[in-house]
Amino acid sequence: VAEQLKDYDLIDSIPLFKLSVRANGGQIQTGKYNIPKGASVWRIAGMLAKGDVATVTIVVPEGLTVKQIKKLLLETDTLTGNVECGKGTDLPVCKLNDGDLFPDTYTVAMGTSRLAFLDLMRKKMENTKSAWEKAGRIIPKPLRNWNDIITLASIVQKETPKTSEMPLVASVYLNRLQKGMRLQADPTVVYALTDGLGDMRGAPLLRGHLKVSSPYNTYLHFGLPPAPIANVGIDAIKAVLQPADTNYLFFVADGKGGHKFAKSYKEHMKNHASWRE
């Protein structure tokens, strides 16, 4: 290491560097380091001893599927390795499903492996589930378990980008479930059409698409889809656990990035006509 630092003109004296390392505990830690120009031998030895490695901040947006997150990580050149496990490995991160990962802003060491990053996201979602369990497993009817919570949260996440609207959207779907109505959520159809990618890639969703044969198609099947259709953030989870107290059964885009909500089909049709206009 001393020779490499000397080759990069970061230190002048190899013996002095070795002496500084010994004075800092005698060890150095592996990793990638951003060493400032003009840093003293003592400072460099201290950075290596403490493991003061270079870090990167990676933002994983809410509402992406596992496939989309893996693609995002593969395009992030400050991470290393593959997003799939090699043959013979059997770790939790090797069999990820949508809903297993917690989207957030993460700061990690430069060069962190992509599998380790995915596992970090998985563990954060596990911690979120554990917090819910410790809080008493409060759950609105007719939801039954954590899978139901995250599945409905994933639909809410895909339906609206507005945090303020999420409890309203959650209330609509909970009301429909309680009344035995189909959810008729477009994002579930998109998930079915795209084989779990969750992105139509610019293609429009047409009326004929609503007949696609899939257990995820909530236009054909009653109740929730069998599993989440995306990875959700804390706001969507909170919206499902603490939905707005409404009698709404319908909503439609308002053309301004939000939605109009309705208690009756007649009112909904008026809102729909207004949106089309």
Side-chain angles (χ1 to χ4, degrees):
V1 172
E3 289 174 354
Q4 289 181 31
L5 292 172
K6 185 73 166 59
D7 290 341
Y8 282 111
D9 292 326
L10 291 169
I11 62 172
D12 295 322
S13 170
I14 289 179
L16 184 57
F17 172 76
K18 291 181 177 179
L19 183 63
S20 299
V21 168
R22 292 191 186 97
N24 274 280
Q27 294 182 342
I28 58 175
Q29 298 189 39
T30 60
K32 293 178 180 287
Y33 292 83
N34 280 332
I35 299 176
K37 290 183 178 181
S40 67
V41 172
W42 177 261
R43 181 177 178 185
I44 295 172
M47 290 175 65
L48 296 174
K50 296 174 184 176
D52 187 12
V53 297
T55 59
V56 292
T57 299
I58 299 171
V59 179
V60 181
E62 294 94 344
L64 299 183
T65 60
V66 169
K67 291 180 179 180
Q68 289 173 312
I69 290 175
K70 287 182 175 180
K71 182 176 182 294
L72 173 68
L73 298 185
L74 285 171
E75 294 170 350
T76 304
D77 58 10
T78 49
L79 299 176
T80 59
N82 208 334
V83 292
E84 307 294 347
C85 293
K87 291 182 179 180
T89 54
D90 186 23
L91 301 170
V93 75
C94 298
K95 299 177 181 179
L96 292 173
N97 298 309
D98 287 309
D100 288 348
L101 303 177
F102 193 96
D104 205 350
T105 299
Y106 292 88
T107 299
V108 296
M110 185 181 294
T112 294
S113 77
R114 293 181 174 90
L115 283 175
F117 189 92
L118 286 168
D119 201 43
L120 187 65
M121 295 184 67
R122 183 192 65 81
K123 288 176 180 175
K124 188 159 187 179
M125 182 56 82
E126 280 291 321
N127 291 338
T128 303
K129 179 183 178 182
S130 297
W132 168 72
E133 291 173 341
K134 290 178 181 177
R137 299 174 182 263
I138 299 170
I139 185 170
K141 295 180 180 180
L143 305 184
R144 302 160 299 173
N145 50 42
W146 181 253
N147 181 70
D148 284 358
I149 293 170
I150 299 300
T151 298
L152 182 53
S154 69
I155 297 175
V156 172
Q157 186 82 71
K158 298 294 286 187
E159 286 284 18
T160 179
K162 290 189 172 183
T163 302
S164 60
E165 274 194 350
M166 288 182 178
L168 291 170
V169 173
S171 75
V172 170
Y173 287 127
L174 286 168
N175 290 340
R176 292 179 75 92
L177 286 171
Q178 289 175 340
K179 289 182 176 292
M181 300 172 66
R182 293 184 181 91
L183 295 187
Q184 296 182 322
D186 289 355
T188 64
V189 178
V190 172
Y191 190 81
L193 286 170
T194 60
D195 192 28
L197 177 62
D199 183 4
M200 296 287 284
R201 295 172 174 170
L205 184 65
L206 305 176
R207 187 175 296 275
H209 291 151
L210 305 184
K211 299 178 182 179
V212 61
S213 178
S214 168
Y216 284 90
N217 185 350
T218 55
Y219 277 85
L220 293 182
H221 302 284
F222 289 92
L224 291 166
I229 61 170
N231 295 280
V232 302
I234 195 65
D235 291 324
I237 296 174
K238 285 182 177 178
V240 170
L241 293 177
Q242 300 173 353
D245 185 9
T246 78
N247 294 321
Y248 293 141
L249 293 172
F250 306 92
F251 64 92
V252 67
D254 61 7
K256 301 177 182 178
H259 296 84
K260 286 186 177 181
F261 297 82
K263 300 175 184 177
S264 67
Y265 185 70
K266 184 177 180 180
E267 183 184 1
H268 175 60
M269 285 295 95
K270 287 183 179 179
N271 291 339
H272 205 282
S274 176
W275 171 75
R276 285 185 175 278
E277 184 180 346

